[in-house]
Amino acid sequence: MIFKLALAILLATTFATTAAADAFSLALHANGGSDTTLYRGEPLLVQALLILEQDEAATVALAGGQPWTRALSLTLLDGAGQAVPLEWATLGGAPASSLAFTPEATEISAVMGLAPPVLDALPPGDYRLEALFSTEESAAPGAWKGEVRAPRVALKLSAEQRPNSPPEQVYRHRLLARWHQLNDRHEAALTELDAALEQMPGDVQALSDKAEVLVEMNRGDEATAVLQQAVSLYRQQHPDATHPPRWLLRRVQELDTYSVAAAGTTNDAAPTAIAAPPAAVPPAATPPAATPPATAAAPLAQEQPAAGPRHWVGDAALPAAADGQWAVAARAGSQYGEADYSALRATGAPDVPGTDDHPNAWCPALRDSGSDWLELSFEQAAPATEVRVRQSFGPGAIVKVEAIEPDGQIHTWWEGVDPFGQDGFAEDAVWFGVQVPLTSYDVQKIRLTLDLGAHSRWKQIDAVQLLGATPR
């Protein structure tokens, strides 16, 4: 079916491959995010995203025609750092055996999962998820040979079921529906989505999910009606938006292609060409509201910054910092795309040239109404003195900066109106910085709150750097 091509994508001819060992990166999304609380009675769905990082074409293929996911391994570590023995299921259909990457088509994803009873059998607490993709011993002749690890993903397994508020219950039903869908239990998936829509009839994402399931059941007319309803509701709910978010537009395009794809044929002998733009598997669930997630600890008193906010226009103007670390994981209240423009794009060092509307930056789903947030995680928790945010497009919308300790304690470093300007225009990327005296506590995360109504341009963040002392 057309949506299962998110895992297998389209077929094409073989590309020549001369790829360096570090040609790829690997990213993880757990239940639609990169930092997730897991509740009882729900599955864990992990999307692994393999990304080409070089400018030359490359082919990934395993000896003997094995599916490419055979080279992918997931490991769940408990709070003591011990691996939990688990058997992960590869979901959503048979993965391709050969993948052709090009500079224009750079990503493919697979979904692996654990059933609710498996998670229910684990003790509550903090966990870490690791992933390794290695073809060192299994690469086919002429294919890429190497290995790459994903940044660890923090997971918290609750002893309770998900809270009973309507948004949280819609989240739960959508997650269970995705689990059933990926296991080819489409009627069960529809039942869960109907329950979600009974809770919140205007939930656009639940309607979009339902349209996808209906297409996989060959009920295209019903899917069209449901998706038209989703687009209409989105426009009613966001009258100032110029167009629906990218994930909804993609669903419309996929539905438009459905009748053509259903009548077409494929050549199973050809390597899978990575689609451009990438049709990554949609998150199983999106946070129910564009507000920061609740934490067990109450925010601490606001700390006045030693100097800030400060601005530097252009990378050359930014003072060097030897003690900085880039974010390794991120999540957001919304994101314009599931791969491009996602929260994950704000991790790592800057990779957007100058100032530009670019898919390598995080972009909220809405342009100029409401508020949104971006939360960045750093590998090493340590005392900190400064955070620097590279705004690659539409600067001037940050209104709050918070630092979060490993135990969830929140410290407000700055809150106010960004004095950079009112029109969101700059001739180069704009760095936004907030300084504080060296903290007496370790900082694990930084949360940024944006006023999307600050100006009419899209807001995009390319990278976030945390400065401070050596980890203790």
Side-chain angles (χ1 to χ4, degrees), residues 403-430:
I404 304 176
E405 296 186 53
D407 65 0
Q409 293 285 333
I410 303 174
H411 303 258
T412 300
W413 280 7
W414 175 80
E415 186 170 8
V417 176
D418 186 351
F420 182 77
Q422 301 302 315
D423 61 2
F425 176 79
E427 295 183 355
D428 205 340
V430 176

Side-chain angles (χ1 to χ4, degrees), residues 29-33 36-47 74 76 86-89 91 111-122 129 155-158 160-162 168-183 185 188-189 192 282-286:
H29 294 282
N31 285 359
T36 302
T37 299
L38 309 175
Y39 292 95
R40 299 298 170 174
E42 299 178 2
L44 172 58
L45 298 176
V46 179
Q47 180 191 21
L74 299 183
L76 188 67
L86 296 167
E87 290 189 10
W88 295 86
L91 305 171
V111 177
M112 305 178 77
L114 298 175
V118 175
L119 285 186
D120 290 348
L122 299 178
L129 184 64
L155 301 173
K156 181 180 289 293
L157 181 56
S158 173
E160 309 294 331
Q161 292 188 339
R162 187 174 293 276
E168 291 284 359
Q169 287 303 301
V170 167
Y171 191 114
R172 174 180 176 273
H173 287 303
R174 292 186 61 230
L175 184 58
L176 288 168
R178 188 66 175 159
W179 170 255
H180 289 308
Q181 179 187 358
L182 290 169
N183 283 282
R185 297 191 293 265
E192 293 291 346
T286 301

Side-chain angles (χ1 to χ4, degrees), residues 247-268:
W247 59 265
L248 186 54
L249 290 176
R250 179 177 294 157
R251 189 62 48 80
V252 172
Q253 294 165 355
E254 289 171 337
L255 187 57
D256 288 342
T257 312
Y258 166 68
S259 58
V260 176
T265 59
T266 59
N267 176 8
D268 293 335

Side-chain angles (χ1 to χ4, degrees), residues 202-267:
D203 191 276
V204 173
Q205 290 177 316
L207 287 167
S208 176
D209 292 349
K210 184 175 181 179
E212 178 179 345
V213 174
L214 288 169
V215 165
E216 292 189 3
M217 299 173 73
N218 293 321
R219 293 159 62 175
D221 291 343
E222 294 175 67
T224 298
V226 171
L227 199 55
Q228 287 175 343
Q229 182 185 2
V231 173
S232 176
L233 282 170
Y234 183 88
R235 287 170 173 162
Q236 293 175 27
Q237 296 166 7
H238 305 281
D240 295 331
T242 57
H243 53 74
R246 174 167 290 201
W247 59 265
L248 186 54
L249 290 176
R250 179 177 294 157
R251 189 62 48 80
V252 172
Q253 294 165 355
E254 289 171 337
L255 187 57
D256 288 342
T257 312
Y258 166 68
S259 58
V260 176
T265 59
T266 59
N267 176 8

